[in-house]
Amino acid sequence: MQLTNRSKQVSNKQMTLAERAYLPAIATGLAITIKHFFAKKVTIQYPEVKRYLGPVFRGRHILKRDAEGRERCTACGLCAVACPAEAISMVASERQKGEENLYREEKYAAVYEVNMLRCIFCGLCEEACPKQAVYLRHDEFVPVFTERDQVIWGKDLLVEDMNNRYTREAWTKEEAHVLDAKRANGEATNVVPRAIP
Amino acid sequence: MNSVVSFFYFLSFLTILSAVMVVVSRNPIHSVLYLILTFFTLSGHYILLNAQFLAAVNIIVYAGAIMVLFLFVIMFLNMKQDQEESKTNLTKIAATIVGGTVFVILFGAYRKTAIEPFNPQTYDSQIGMIESLGHMLFREYLLPFELASILLLVAMVGAVLLGKREIGERHF
Amino acid sequence: MLTNQEVAEGLLEKFGDQVFGFEEPYGLLTLSTTREDILPLMEFLKDHKTWQVIFLTDLTGVQYPDNKGQEFVVVYHLHSFVHNFRIRIKVALSEADLHIPTATGLFASANWMERETYDFFGILFDGHPNLRRILNIEEMDYFPMRKEYPMEDATREDKIDALFGR
Amino acid sequence: MADIELLPHNVPSQSELPELVEELTTLNLGPTHPATHGIFQNVLKMDGEKIVSGEQTIGYIHRAFEKIAERRPFYQITTLTDRMNYCSSPINNMGWHMTVEKLLGIEVPKRAQYIRVLMMELARITDHIICNSILGVDTGAFTGFLYVMQKREEVYEIYEEVCGARLTTNMGRVGGMERDLSSTAIRKIKEFIKSFPPVLRELEKLLNRNRIFMDRTINVGPISQERALSYGFTGPNLRAAGIDYDVRVMNPYSSYEDFDFEVPIGQNGDTFDRYMVRNEEMWQSLKIVEQAINNLPEGPYYADAPEFYLPPKQEVYKNMEALIYHFKIVMGEIDAPAGEVYHAVEGGNGELGFYLISDGGRAPYRLHFRRPSFIYYQAYPEMCKGSSLSDAILTMSSMNVIAGELDA
Amino acid sequence: MKEVKIVGAPDGHSGAGFFATSLDQAIGLARSYSLWPLPFATSCCGIEFMATMGAHYDISRFGSERPSFSPRQADLLMVMGTIAKKMAPVVKQVYLQMAEPRWVMAVGACASSGGIFDTYSVLQGIDRIIPVDVYVPGCPPRPEQIIDGLMQIQYLAQNESLRRRNTDEYQELLTSYNIQ
Amino acid sequence: MDLTEFLVKTATIFAVFVATLVIAMYSTWAERKVAGFIQDRSGPNRAGWGGLLQPLADAGKMFFKEDFIPALANKWLFIAGPSLAMLTAMLASAVIPFGSTIRVAGHEVPLQGVESNIGILYVFGVVALGVYGIMVGGWASNNKFSLLGAIRAASQNISYEVAMGLSLIAILMMSSSLSLGEIVSQQHGMNWNIFYQPLGFIIFITCSFAECNRVPFDLPECETELVGGYHTEYGSMKLGFYLFAEYINMFISSAIISVLYFGGYNYPGMDFVYNQLVNALGTETGHNIATLIGTAVFFGKALFFVFFYMWVRWTIPRFRYDQLMNLGWKKLIPLAILNILITGAAVLFLKPVITAWLN
């Protein structure tokens, strides 16, 4: 049945004499494989060499603090709603007097838990957050677990450590876009090179 | 009793034992495996008789090819214990009589045969070797040899014809 | 090029008021028929000399629990490659009498799609050669895609519904 | 712990299968057999090494996509489509977005359409890479598989640059893309266009004209045009039978009418034809990628539809109106019209259709996926009947049945 | 290219001309570098396992590139992808067919907990039917994470007594899963 | 047989044994490394430097893995299978001439386990038995995949033995001897049989691929069809024996190929080297060192063929069963017979002419 004028017959089942004799094709194959035998290997020696995963990679979660060390999260619950895996749960709480240096907004998440085994790292929580609080780190994975009761991560593991802050080149897609344009013009130079050979 | 003789007795014991086991084993696969062992010990005897070529050919042809096919067929049939047909006493008695008769005939035949004693002066160490065997086959026994080969060829053609018969394409 | 108008007129001429509910949502000719006429209708479309609607693209069921007497709808999508023309046919069924003739005689592909529809909704396809569950385990005693049954697995341990307001 | 009841694993009993001569043996291929790739069971009745009849059991990874879709807002359904045909998830994602856009009546700007085409064609390449090289593995040639897998790795790097994940990309949004194509991504795509052909040619040299491979595949599992149509074949498998049906040509979407490409067809729908059609489709996809990247139009990468497309983050932080839209969209409270849409795209395996019924709520009222491999896999017993076990396995792998798509 | 970490000799008593180490440690070490996986790949994670086997990540560096599709020969059951309730008895069957010592790795969200598929047809984590040693999060996990999981299994293998499998705790664990 | 001779014989046989085992062991490592290198990856490199301890790790693991016998299997035969496979594989190395002679205190000790005048028949007989291990094991497992694998292995081995034997006859016609030692010494220097028997060589190497169950003839164990083939039900060291036997077979057949077609321990210019060494180091040491060089050359050739096996394995696809049989019966056997005819004609008519011309 001819439906378009773009069709093209691609399958040729007639064998030539050389193809019938097995050996030429096998010799070609052997030549290809021996060429690869002496070629440079592409393997990344993983635990020692780590690969740069790109600026937008979706790795482990982090709850950001602002420059003064206050938690950004205001427990609006958008991330929990946006989560297709229903992995995020939180309990909101009112900020008390004297806690202004701890929490940025009047409301904060007293409990913020992510079930790391339910999470599918789709990045919808990061996109849903209106307060620049939830991010998926581009430089770290969630480690493997050996017990099922380790997998629900509370704020102790999620909130950013002020001594070891998480930075990345661009926080939103627009920033990433702007930075990328700069880099293309040669203005920005802090490009982390890929670890692969 | 020197080492060769004791080895001979040991081999003979093993041969008879495994031959008996071929008959006695209930599992056909075991029977076949014992039969292979029998062939091995027979090859041992050939070597003792300085017929190395015969020993090797015995292993290649019988143990290596024919018994593999036996095993093959038995595996395909995949005999089960309960499917074994019942052996009536009549068949048992008949089998015993037939076997006994064969034994008596063989015994009678060999009893009359005079075996030449071993004489180191006239003994030709090359008698079982390939050269003498080849000379023997292709000079003195040329006609029987060729006849046997024709017989085998006919058998082979017949086997191929029988094997080729499939549904829808009958050859005869 | 086959137009919706042309096909609709042709069908009305042939089947009269057995075909009804003509619509054109997003340009796709949609019509309804009864379960007595679904097979003749599809056969007519398939054997039609010029239309040649020979391809069953999709077959599925939909449940409208509030639409009393017509709780279930079986939807057929057909396609004519030659004219690049698609048509959607619906048959409404009542929950009390969930039977519809099978299309496996016309299209071999209907086999599994009907099994899937049976598996999900419990719609019985009369004359189907092998109407068993296909995706779910045989021992399942309900039809999971019906609106009244829950989606979630009852045995999960690490989720609390109250936290999500769901 | 072990409180859930495990039901015995189902094997069709002797009585359910047709009456057979006693000599036939039953061979249970799967669900954990190495050649079934994904998971499905083939119960084959065999006469020696010849297959007399077959019966498939599927549903081993049935995940109830359609049920979940009824509980999720439109934008979360990409996480489901991702996992349907996981070898080419961007195609599924884009197909879903286009369906919703059709429902909402959004016109996507040209640049976004081109980026979508780029991603879809790269996805098609990865899909066919997997299928063809696995066919090689099933014939015993493992090495070619690893050569082309290196190239697939490069495509995954491109995805990573575009969306941040390798396989389950969650790419694109209703109304456009989630972010613009970065210069790194463009550079990588251009590198890929250069570096892919030599490797593909190597695979071709290893297999295509090797007599062992040709003997293994020619006239193995053929299907005629009539049977293929009756069984609902689409995509490469239908084209291998000689029917040049391609949704990209017949119903162009996302600016496919701008691109110049050919539709490869085979002769009699056997394994070799399927292999060759997929092989040629990789070249055609590469051609499309090349055209798209060279003619990438300037302009916005998302449609001007503030009530459906998330506003820029900077606006959300500052602007009240943007924040309200943001909340509405994330909560899924968009004003979708009621109606029903069928939209099809050319997936890795054929016509991937989305039949969406919306009642105006936050989630689809009913969403049905027309999954090509589910529909054509039922032809398998007919295709492998009378062939040997080895042929049956090659037929299966050349059909490229993806379990996620099969069972949904 | 950075120096590759090579396994060190196990702790032992070395002296002039002799080196003794406890059998436990030596065999643990041997086991950990010869973990033949049984890739029980049902869906997306299986595709990532292909990438792990591929040239870039190369699981063979750890001596585990020989996939044993026969459970008798496998040491490590890698469950990758969604396990539906229809599939669960098969997984358990495969686990029962494996010979000791055996380890189980649940790769990806679906195998570990059900992931997004909180539905009537999906098993909410394979640890309901078989004991799991290592859970790898991610949907699907990157090949790096799968290798992390493998290294964790190696660590378990090295630090496990030769006869742990006869201990009461282990028997209790199996009993809790109705495995004898 | 006096005691010294007995001890020397024992030592030689032991050395041959150990050499075979070590080479087979490291063949497993080499297989993984070669596969890795061909596929652009690095292969095992964690267990020891460059993964050199990998075979030990595998062996250690297998020894201490639970020994499992399926409930429905035939216990004795299940154990006998791998033992037979290992036994027959090990037997063949006895008659391979690894080098010429070593002179120790006036004695000439041949570097060969057993000097037999039917060496080649012996090898052939042992190879013919190799299939029993697979058949018995496959049948005893009581598993359909195993049985299919075993049956495939048996019919494949029997079929290819015929072509193999026929291709050998051409060599035997040229050398008019069945002794491997004799065949090697006839190929002195560069007078290798490959130059006279290219067709025979191709047939022989194809058949030896089939006898070793290697790609493209690995149907008895091909993963995608039969899971593990005949060893599906085997685990622990029993599986180890099967795998090990395969590598031993591979080494043995490589050694046989180099003995029959590539001159064994002969290499061009060996007379010159020999004379130089004898002149420099005396008849005893010089002779011994020359022999060892020859042995090294022999191992080089044999290992190259082991590499060739792996190289082919990772390059080409495998046959289907009927195609394999067609190739064996309909192509290789007629070709081998043709080769015999050509060789016979050449030996009868061409050789006298050439000899006359040379003289």
Side-chain angles (χ1 to χ4, degrees):
Chain A
M1 198 189 285
Q2 173 95 14
L3 300 174
T4 65
N5 50 7
R6 295 197 193 180
S7 62
K8 173 184 173 189
Q9 177 60 250
V10 290
S11 160
N12 172 18
K13 292 175 188 173
Q14 293 301 317
M15 280 183 259
T16 63
L17 189 66
E19 283 162 4
R20 281 179 176 284
Y22 291 106
L23 293 177
I26 292 177
T28 325
L30 288 174
I32 290 174
T33 43
I34 201 71
K35 205 173 77 207
H36 279 270
F37 187 85
F38 294 109
K40 199 163 160 21
K41 306 292 161 249
V42 295
T43 309
I44 308 157
Q45 304 293 338
Y46 164 61
E48 291 83 23
V49 182
K50 292 199 171 62
R51 195 171 182 173
Y52 175 65
L53 303 173
V56 290
F57 176 72
R58 309 195 291 250
R60 67 167 269 199
H61 308 243
I62 191 163
L63 278 178
K64 280 293 282 182
R65 294 174 191 269
D66 66 4
E68 289 137 54
R70 298 176 299 183
E71 282 176 25
R72 283 173 172 274
C73 177
T74 177
C76 63
L78 273 191
C79 48
V81 172
C83 183
E86 300 173 359
I88 304 176
S89 51
M90 64 179 74
V91 175
S93 193
E94 293 288 323
R95 182 175 70 184
Q96 304 297 314
K97 270 223 156 19
E99 288 181 339
E100 283 83 358
N101 59 340
L102 292 178
Y103 310 111
R104 205 177 135 119
E105 315 284 338
E106 285 95 55
K107 222 170 100 210
Y108 71 96
V111 177
Y112 191 100
E113 285 177 342
V114 181
N115 185 337
M116 288 298 176
L117 284 190
R118 284 271 180 198
C119 175
I120 55 164
F121 303 90
C122 59
L124 288 178
C125 48
E126 181 180 317
E127 207 169 277
C129 183
K131 285 289 167 196
Q132 292 178 285
V134 183
Y135 283 101
L136 295 171
R137 296 186 71 139
H138 74 294
D139 54 351
E140 228 178 84
F141 308 118
V142 178
V144 298
F145 302 105
T146 50
E147 298 294 334
R148 188 73 188 259
D149 50 17
Q150 305 164 347
V151 304
I152 297 184
W153 281 20
K155 278 175 77 177
D156 51 335
L157 288 165
L158 290 172
V159 178
E160 187 182 25
D161 177 10
M162 283 307 280
N163 298 321
N164 181 19
R165 295 202 67 171
Y166 168 59
T167 51
R168 73 174 175 192
E169 290 166 49
W171 293 96
T172 63
K173 55 198 174 194
E174 293 81 15
E175 280 174 29
H177 195 193
V178 171
L179 193 85
D180 205 77
K182 275 190 194 159
R183 194 183 296 157
N185 299 335
E187 290 167 37
T189 49
N190 58 336
V191 185
V192 186
R194 288 247 158 166
I196 45 166
Chain B
M1 205 155 66
N2 67 18
S3 58
V4 177
V5 175
S6 53
F7 189 61
F8 168 75
Y9 280 114
F10 174 67
L11 260 183
S12 307
F13 169 73
L14 217 59
T15 315
I16 293 169
L17 182 76
S18 50
V20 168
M21 288 306 285
V22 174
V23 185
V24 176
S25 297
R26 298 198 70 83
N27 188 331
I29 297 268
H30 288 177
S31 277
V32 171
L33 292 176
Y34 280 118
L35 192 54
I36 293 162
L37 193 61
T38 316
F39 284 130
F40 264 93
T41 48
L42 280 181
S43 287
H45 283 290
Y46 284 134
I47 290 173
L48 282 183
L49 291 168
N50 205 14
Q52 298 172 5
F53 177 72
L54 221 53
V57 168
N58 185 39
I59 288 184
I60 295 174
V61 174
Y62 283 94
I66 294 183
M67 291 324 287
V68 172
L69 290 178
F70 266 60
L71 207 56
F72 202 84
V73 170
I74 292 172
M75 280 181 183
F76 257 130
L77 294 180
N78 203 10
M79 285 189 191
K80 292 192 182 79
Q81 302 282 323
D82 49 79
Q83 282 178 348
E84 216 169 300
E85 27 182 299
S86 58
K87 295 190 182 84
T88 60
N89 279 336
L90 189 72
T91 50
K92 279 179 190 168
I93 292 165
T96 319
I97 292 172
V98 170
T101 319
V102 170
F103 185 74
V104 167
I105 292 169
L106 283 176
F107 187 75
Y110 280 115
R111 208 172 58 93
K112 290 281 176 191
T113 319
I115 298 167
E116 215 174 293
F118 172 65
N119 184 351
Q121 270 78 47
T122 57
Y123 178 69
D124 177 12
S125 71
Q126 293 301 310
I127 194 141
M129 293 298 160
I130 318 153
E131 285 90 351
S132 47
L133 196 72
H135 282 245
M136 201 76 115
L137 273 182
F138 289 102
R139 290 201 179 135
E140 289 172 37
Y141 296 99
L142 183 61
L143 187 66
F145 181 82
E146 292 297 335
L147 284 180
S149 63
I150 288 170
L151 181 70
L152 283 175
L153 185 68
V154 170
M156 210 158 80
V157 172
V160 169
L161 276 179
L162 281 176
K164 259 190 94 92
R165 193 174 64 182
E166 278 170 22
I167 307 158
E169 47 163 22
R170 288 190 175 273
H171 295 279
F172 45 88
Chain C
M1 203 56 201
L2 208 54
T3 60
N4 290 346
Q5 188 66 28
E6 192 183 335
V7 175
E9 277 164 10
L11 287 176
L12 276 173
E13 191 180 312
K14 172 91 173 124
F15 289 94
D17 54 1
Q18 294 303 312
V19 288
F20 46 86
F22 285 91
E23 279 180 283
E24 274 186 303
Y26 302 94
L28 188 64
L29 179 64
T30 304
L31 57 105
S32 296
T33 185
T34 60
R35 73 171 175 225
E36 287 76 28
D37 287 292
I38 179 67
L39 284 192
L41 176 60
M42 283 202 289
E43 202 169 355
F44 173 71
L45 286 168
K46 193 183 171 194
D47 295 341
H48 197 287
K49 278 279 173 305
T50 48
W51 299 352
Q52 297 183 44
V53 190
I54 51 167
F55 192 78
L56 177 66
T57 307
D58 196 14
L59 189 165
T60 191
V62 188
Q63 187 198 11
Y64 296 98
D66 301 332
N67 199 356
K68 289 289 171 239
Q70 298 194 331
E71 284 94 346
F72 291 91
V73 175
V74 179
V75 186
Y76 299 82
H77 284 85
L78 300 173
H79 193 175
S80 160
F81 281 165
V82 202
H83 301 284
N84 193 20
F85 171 80
R86 287 176 195 270
I87 182 169
R88 178 188 294 143
I89 305 168
K90 293 178 171 184
V91 181
L93 301 169
S94 81
E95 193 170 358
D97 185 26
L98 270 182
H99 287 270
I100 187 168
T102 176
T104 41
L106 292 173
F107 305 101
S109 59
N111 190 326
W112 279 17
M113 293 195 265
E114 287 179 355
R115 275 178 74 183
E116 187 194 43
T117 313
Y118 164 73
D119 191 356
F120 282 168
F121 294 101
I123 297 169
L124 293 164
F125 290 86
D126 298 331
H128 191 282
N130 185 16
L131 194 65
R132 290 186 295 135
R133 286 191 181 271
I134 184 163
L135 295 176
N136 289 303
I137 39 180
E138 299 255 328
E139 289 76 10
M140 195 174 226
D141 51 1
Y142 64 98
F143 299 105
M145 276 299 283
R146 292 190 183 183
K147 296 276 178 192
E148 64 257 42
Y149 295 110
M151 173 187 89
E152 287 87 359
D153 180 62
T155 61
R156 66 201 179 141
E157 285 155 348
D158 53 358
K159 280 188 189 176
I160 310 157
D161 276 348
L163 282 177
F164 305 103
R166 290 191 173 98
Chain D
M1 252 307 169
D3 52 351
I4 41 170
E5 187 103 354
L6 289 184
L7 296 156
H9 174 220
N10 261 311
V11 180
S13 64
Q14 213 67 24
S15 58
E16 288 171 50
L17 291 161
E19 281 295 308
L20 289 160
V21 202
E22 207 182 325
E23 288 159 39
L24 305 187
T25 45
T26 311
L27 196 72
N28 231 334
L29 217 64
T32 55
H33 188 277
T36 51
H37 308 303
I39 299 298
F40 30 86
Q41 186 188 30
N42 297 312
V43 183
L44 301 174
K45 282 272 171 196
M46 305 191 49
D47 177 13
E49 285 226 9
K50 210 162 223 137
I51 292 164
V52 179
S53 68
E55 154 107 44
Q56 307 121 298
T57 317
I58 64 166
Y60 285 103
I61 66 161
H62 174 51
R63 301 183 272 195
F65 280 168
E66 295 178 8
K67 188 85 176 174
I68 301 177
E70 291 176 7
R71 313 290 168 102
R72 295 273 183 270
F74 289 100
Y75 70 96
Q76 284 182 18
I77 286 170
T78 44
T79 57
L80 299 176
T81 52
D82 267 339
R83 283 154 187 82
M84 206 156 60
N85 182 348
Y86 34 75
C87 293
S88 52
S89 35
I91 300 184
N92 309 358
N93 290 346
M94 303 309 170
W96 166 245
H97 294 315
M98 283 181 243
T99 313
V100 180
E101 281 152 13
K102 198 167 166 184
L103 177 79
L104 301 176
I106 298 175
E107 180 64 31
V108 178
K110 211 66 174 166
R111 184 177 176 87
Q113 289 187 359
Y114 270 59
I115 297 175
R116 284 179 174 185
V117 167
L118 269 175
M119 291 303 131
M120 283 194 276
E121 291 310 315
L122 287 173
R124 198 179 315 282
I125 290 175
T126 57
D127 186 280
H128 291 350
I129 278 181
I130 290 184
C131 179
N132 271 2
S133 60
I134 291 277
L135 182 64
V137 172
D138 282 349
T139 57
F142 191 73
T143 303
F145 164 72
L146 285 188
Y147 291 164
V148 286
M149 281 312 244
Q150 292 176 31
K151 293 295 128 184
R152 195 192 67 152
E153 205 68 27
E154 281 181 21
V155 179
Y156 282 174
E157 275 179 39
I158 296 169
Y159 289 172
E160 216 167 79
E161 203 62 48
V162 173
C163 70
R166 287 156 57 88
L167 196 65
T168 47
T169 47
N170 193 11
M171 193 189 277
R173 295 289 177 263
V174 175
M177 298 294 290
E178 75 269 45
R179 58 173 74 77
D180 203 357
L181 216 53
S182 70
S183 63
T184 328
I186 291 174
R187 199 195 72 227
K188 281 190 170 159
I189 293 172
K190 283 182 173 157
E191 277 169 14
F192 176 76
I193 292 171
K194 279 201 197 72
S195 71
F196 184 58
V199 179
L200 187 54
R201 247 174 247 129
E202 264 179 2
L203 182 74
E204 287 178 351
K205 273 187 197 158
L206 278 174
L207 295 178
N208 287 19
R209 304 308 296 178
N210 186 335
R211 182 169 173 196
I212 304 179
F213 181 77
M214 291 174 81
D215 279 349
R216 284 300 300 278
T217 49
I218 290 178
N219 285 331
V220 167
I223 188 158
S224 68
Q225 296 191 358
E226 292 72 38
R227 292 310 286 164
L229 283 177
S230 180
Y231 269 118
F233 274 51
T234 42
N237 293 350
L238 181 66
R239 291 195 278 275
I243 299 176
D244 54 348
Y245 173 64
D246 188 325
V247 187
R248 291 175 293 174
V249 180
M250 301 278 280
N251 300 59
Y253 51 90
S254 197
S255 300
Y256 264 113
E257 64 276 7
D258 297 0
F259 300 102
D260 170 40
F261 61 96
E262 283 165 325
V263 182
I265 55 169
Q267 292 171 6
N268 63 346
D270 61 12
T271 302
F272 187 68
D273 282 337
R274 285 190 281 271
Y275 172 84
M276 288 306 285
V277 165
R278 286 210 168 81
N279 194 44
E280 180 62 28
E281 271 186 30
M282 283 195 259
W283 290 110
Q284 297 301 335
S285 291
L286 205 65
K287 212 163 114 187
I288 299 175
V289 169
E290 208 171 344
Q291 290 170 37
I293 196 83
N294 290 336
N295 305 326
L296 194 64
E298 289 300 320
Y301 56 94
Y302 54 89
D304 183 24
E307 60 271 47
F308 305 119
Y309 186 85
L310 280 177
K313 271 284 166 70
Q314 268 76 13
E315 291 294 307
V316 175
Y317 305 145
K318 289 178 292 201
N319 189 333
M320 198 59 204
E321 193 191 8
L323 186 66
I324 289 169
Y325 273 133
H326 183 88
F327 260 81
K328 271 187 86 171
I329 294 169
V330 172
M331 301 296 282
E333 312 290 335
I334 57 172
D335 306 315
E340 45 191 302
V341 190
Y342 178 83
H343 184 74
V345 292
E346 179 71 23
N349 283 333
E351 178 174 331
L352 179 71
F354 297 85
Y355 177 43
L356 167 67
I357 302 178
S358 165
D359 61 348
R362 81 194 271 266
Y365 182 77
R366 168 98 172 97
L367 175 59
H368 178 73
F369 304 104
R370 185 213 187 261
R371 315 181 304 274
S373 25
F374 173 73
I375 291 166
Y376 68 62
Y377 184 49
Q378 50 190 321
Y380 177 64
E382 189 176 307
M383 288 164 79
C384 70
K385 194 170 176 176
S387 58
S388 71
L389 178 62
S390 324
D391 288 349
I393 279 156
L394 289 192
T395 310
M396 178 159 50
S397 54
S398 70
M399 282 169 88
N400 194 21
V401 184
I402 309 280
E405 191 177 84
L406 180 74
D407 291 346
Chain E
M1 198 163 79
K2 276 196 212 164
E3 201 52 33
V4 172
K5 198 176 123 215
I6 293 168
V7 54
D11 293 335
H13 315 281
S14 56
F18 82 94
F19 179 84
T21 172
S22 87
L23 189 64
D24 272 15
Q25 276 169 322
I27 295 304
L29 213 57
R31 279 176 178 168
S32 69
Y33 282 93
S34 176
L35 288 168
W36 292 359
L38 193 163
F40 199 96
T42 57
S43 50
C44 335
C45 298
I47 305 288
E48 278 302 65
F49 180 70
M50 283 182 198
T52 319
M53 285 187 51
H56 277 90
Y57 293 97
D58 192 16
I59 202 166
S60 78
R61 293 178 291 133
F62 302 90
S64 343
E65 83 270 42
R66 186 190 183 277
S68 303
F69 290 103
S70 163
R72 307 269 187 230
Q73 304 164 6
D75 307 291
L76 169 63
L77 177 62
M78 294 173 93
V79 182
M80 297 173 279
T82 321
I83 301 299
K85 285 178 182 162
K86 200 171 183 177
M87 195 64 168
V90 182
V91 181
K92 186 155 183 171
Q93 185 68 27
V94 167
Y95 179 76
L96 290 178
Q97 281 177 348
M98 286 170 71
E100 296 281 6
R102 52 191 171 184
W103 290 273
V104 179
M105 186 160 130
V107 179
C110 295
S112 307
S113 72
I116 52 171
F117 301 110
D118 178 14
T119 61
Y120 56 86
S121 64
V122 175
L123 190 70
Q124 301 295 301
I126 57 162
D127 50 2
R128 297 174 167 232
I129 48 168
I130 53 174
V132 176
D133 292 282
V134 168
Y135 302 86
V136 181
C139 190
R142 277 188 68 95
E144 278 101 333
Q145 282 170 291
I146 298 182
I147 291 178
D148 276 343
L150 184 76
M151 281 163 41
Q152 183 66 33
I153 296 269
Q154 284 190 322
Y155 176 80
L156 292 179
Q158 283 165 16
N159 293 293
E160 165 172 292
S161 141
L162 202 55
R163 277 169 291 280
R164 180 197 88 146
R165 305 280 153 176
N166 297 332
T167 57
D168 291 341
E169 291 86 6
Y170 188 68
Q171 291 305 326
E172 241 170 66
L173 177 72
L174 290 188
T175 320
S176 73
Y177 283 98
N178 281 331
I179 298 171
Q180 275 317 313
Chain F
M1 199 188 273
D2 63 359
L3 192 65
T4 17
E5 206 183 327
F6 180 74
L7 282 179
V8 168
K9 248 334 175 247
T10 319
T12 331
I13 289 175
F14 188 71
V16 168
F17 226 63
V18 169
T20 317
L21 280 180
V22 168
I23 286 175
M25 199 161 114
Y26 274 89
S27 299
T28 63
W29 169 82
E31 173 99 275
R32 296 165 94 158
K33 263 320 212 197
V34 167
F37 271 55
I38 280 182
Q39 294 161 355
D40 291 343
R41 37 191 194 98
S42 58
N45 64 358
R46 306 270 146 169
W49 184 85
L52 275 173
L53 298 180
Q54 196 62 51
L56 295 181
D58 285 334
K61 178 201 80 175
M62 282 177 162
F63 265 118
F64 283 87
K65 204 160 164 62
E66 183 191 0
D67 203 18
F68 187 88
I69 296 178
L72 287 171
N74 190 323
K75 299 227 166 26
W76 283 105
L77 293 182
F78 191 75
I79 297 167
S83 325
L84 271 175
M86 194 72 181
L87 180 80
T88 48
M90 292 301 304
L91 275 175
S93 61
V95 292
I96 293 170
F98 287 90
S100 105
T101 55
I102 292 254
R103 278 185 195 147
V104 189
H107 285 278
E108 292 258 336
V109 183
L111 281 180
Q112 188 176 10
V114 180
E115 168 60 48
S116 164
N117 58 1
I118 51 153
I120 217 164
L121 280 182
Y122 171 83
V123 171
F124 212 60
V126 170
V127 167
L129 294 176
V131 68
Y132 279 113
I134 292 174
M135 274 190 93
V136 167
W139 182 80
S141 306
N142 194 20
N143 175 319
K144 272 172 200 147
F145 288 122
S146 304
L147 186 66
L148 271 178
I151 288 171
R152 280 180 175 191
S155 40
Q156 172 180 328
N157 278 25
I158 294 177
S159 314
Y160 276 78
E161 246 162 43
V162 180
M164 195 178 192
L166 288 175
S167 71
L168 266 181
I169 285 178
I171 289 263
L172 301 183
M173 283 163 78
M174 283 174 59
S175 63
S176 56
S177 168
L178 286 174
S179 155
L180 287 172
E182 175 66 25
I183 291 175
V184 176
S185 51
Q186 282 179 5
Q187 307 179 44
H188 192 79
M190 200 58 185
N191 192 23
W192 296 352
N193 282 338
I194 175 75
F195 303 118
Y196 308 107
Q197 291 287 342
L199 182 61
F201 168 69
I202 289 172
I203 298 169
F204 187 85
I205 200 167
T206 316
C207 295
S208 54
F209 271 99
E211 292 286 314
C212 295
N213 297 333
R214 298 280 299 184
V215 168
F217 306 103
D218 66 334
L219 287 118
E221 44 185 321
C222 70
E223 217 160 64
T224 49
E225 291 165 32
L226 300 179
V227 191
Y230 56 87
H231 58 63
T232 305
E233 291 283 334
Y234 282 92
S236 75
M237 206 55 205
K238 293 207 224 43
L239 169 71
F241 274 178
Y242 269 131
L243 300 183
F244 214 62
E246 183 186 323
Y247 285 97
I248 296 176
N249 280 333
M250 219 163 94
F251 171 66
I252 300 287
S253 57
S254 306
I256 301 277
I257 289 170
S258 53
V259 162
L260 290 179
Y261 290 97
F262 287 85
Y265 49 77
N266 296 302
Y267 53 96
M270 60 189 292
D271 288 330
F272 173 77
V273 174
Y274 182 81
N275 290 333
Q276 293 292 318
L277 283 169
V278 170
N279 289 341
L281 300 164
T283 43
E284 195 156 290
T285 336
H287 175 86
N288 287 351
I289 288 178
T291 303
L292 288 180
I293 291 176
T295 309
V297 168
F298 171 77
F299 275 109
K301 288 174 189 168
L303 292 182
F304 170 77
F305 280 102
V306 172
F307 171 75
F308 185 71
Y309 271 96
M310 296 168 183
W311 182 13
V312 170
R313 169 168 179 181
W314 297 109
T315 303
I316 54 179
R318 70 170 72 88
F319 285 92
R320 194 172 62 209
Y321 194 65
D322 55 330
Q323 291 162 357
L324 175 133
M325 284 295 162
N326 278 342
L327 182 74
W329 288 100
K330 293 189 182 161
K331 303 220 169 69
L332 291 184
I333 291 181
L335 273 179
I337 292 175
L338 181 73
N339 192 34
I340 291 175
L341 289 179
I342 294 171
T343 314
V347 168
L348 267 184
F349 305 117
L350 216 56
K351 205 173 166 189
V353 176
I354 293 173
T355 336
W357 181 71
L358 280 178
N359 293 333

